Amino acid sequence: MKNITIAIDGPSGAGKSTSASALAERLQLAHLDTGAMYRALAAALLQDGLDPSDPDQVLAHLNHYDLSVDFEGADQHTLVNGIDRSADLYTSQVSRAASDVSRYSQVRAYLVAIQRKLAESQSFILDGRDIGTVVLPDADIKFFLTASPETRARRRWSELQARGERLGLEEVLADIEARDYQDSHRADSPLKCADDAHVIDSSELSFDQVLDQMLTLIQAAGLELVP
Ligand code: DC
């Protein structure tokens, strides 16, 4: 039976990763969070004192970084030069730096090659910004999950609060809007909805409702998903 690929794209804070992992658990598929790869690279650059917003610095050092992804059950571990970066990926500093490094074509080419190789090895759900448009344009089913900036900012703010990062809601909203702009205006693989993606706006939906919509559409697509 051929490998199945499910693409979930959308802006930050739309709930892609959470719904992708719930879907993966429900359908017994592997899940690759591609944002974690951009974040892990950004975290490693920051730790090494490099400036992720400076393309000269990043590109001069890119070949010193060896990124790999391991799975322990459903848990993704994203390693750079053998060091698991999974614990330091979700600070505001790393979020901004990941958006910066994701602008560079050489960085994208490097990470996209790893993503495609993984997706060839077994059935996968991938979430990111360019999965349905660039990484896997032939994915079996594509979702574009979105929500209003205010809804996404509120969700992100709650996550940051829970992690002890004391940012104001206004600041989080400004950050989300800046990243939206940067992610959708970069020259290479900007965030955009694939023509054949199912658009789900989660602003007024509960998590369960989003998941139900996805499962219904997957069923309607007739994918042969045998766990
Ligand atoms: O999904 P996320 O917030 O963890 O992603 C972090 C950053 O990485 C985001 O600003 C955009 C970038 N990204 C990307 O350009 N392409 C992807 N496939 C995934 C993430």
Side-chain angles (χ1 to χ4, degrees):
M1 197 166 65
K2 94 171 188 57
N3 289 337
I4 300 282
T5 46
I6 298 179
I8 305 183
D9 290 304
S12 28
K16 300 179 302 288
S17 278
T18 328
S19 41
S21 51
L23 207 54
E25 193 184 336
R26 194 71 88 78
L27 301 173
Q28 298 277 290
L29 295 179
H31 164 219
L32 179 67
D33 173 351
T34 62
M37 299 169 75
Y38 290 90
R39 287 173 182 272
L41 184 61
L45 288 163
L46 286 169
Q47 194 174 42
D48 293 344
L50 296 168
D51 177 2
S53 69
D54 178 349
D56 293 336
Q57 286 189 37
V58 175
L59 301 180
H61 293 86
L62 187 59
N63 64 1
H64 301 172
Y65 292 94
D66 177 26
L67 188 140
S68 58
V69 181
D70 270 357
F71 293 94
E72 200 181 312
D75 291 334
Q76 174 175 334
H77 295 278
T78 314
L79 295 89
V80 180
N81 297 340
I83 298 170
D84 188 354
R85 294 280 167 186
S86 309
D88 22 270
L89 300 187
Y90 295 97
T91 63
S92 326
Q93 191 193 22
V94 171
S95 297
R96 272 190 291 270
S99 184
D100 285 334
V101 299
S102 72
R103 286 181 291 150
Y104 312 135
S105 294
Q106 290 92 325
V107 167
R108 303 201 69 82
Y110 174 49
L111 299 184
V112 166
I114 300 172
Q115 293 157 14
R116 287 189 178 137
K117 205 159 173 201
L118 281 167
E120 273 167 21
S121 67
Q122 66 181 99
S123 293
F124 253 104
I125 301 178
L126 286 88
D127 80 83
R129 302 290 189 289
D130 58 343
I131 308 302
T133 50
V134 174
V135 181
L136 301 172
D138 296 326
D140 294 282
I141 187 160
K142 302 177 186 178
F143 296 104
F144 191 82
L145 187 57
T146 186
S148 69
E150 291 73 19
T151 305
R152 293 186 283 121
R154 266 196 309 279
R155 290 178 187 157
R156 180 91 184 112
W157 179 81
S158 306
E159 278 168 24
L160 290 172
Q161 290 285 105
R163 255 185 233 129
E165 274 200 67
R166 300 272 168 252
L167 287 184
L169 184 56
E170 287 306 310
E171 207 178 331
V172 177
L173 177 60
D175 210 48
I176 288 235
E177 288 178 331
R179 282 211 289 144
D180 280 359
Y181 185 86
Q182 182 157 293
D183 292 345
S184 46
H185 286 80
R186 63 177 176 233
D188 189 351
S189 316
L191 166 68
K192 67 172 189 229
C193 180
D195 293 339
D196 51 352
H198 299 281
V199 180
I200 300 180
D201 184 332
S202 73
S203 307
E204 306 291 331
L205 298 178
S206 69
F207 169 73
D208 285 340
Q209 288 171 318
V210 170
L211 203 61
D212 281 350
Q213 284 202 14
M214 287 180 159
L215 286 165
T216 305
L217 288 160
I218 288 171
Q219 206 166 25
L223 298 188
E224 273 189 64
L225 284 163
V226 182

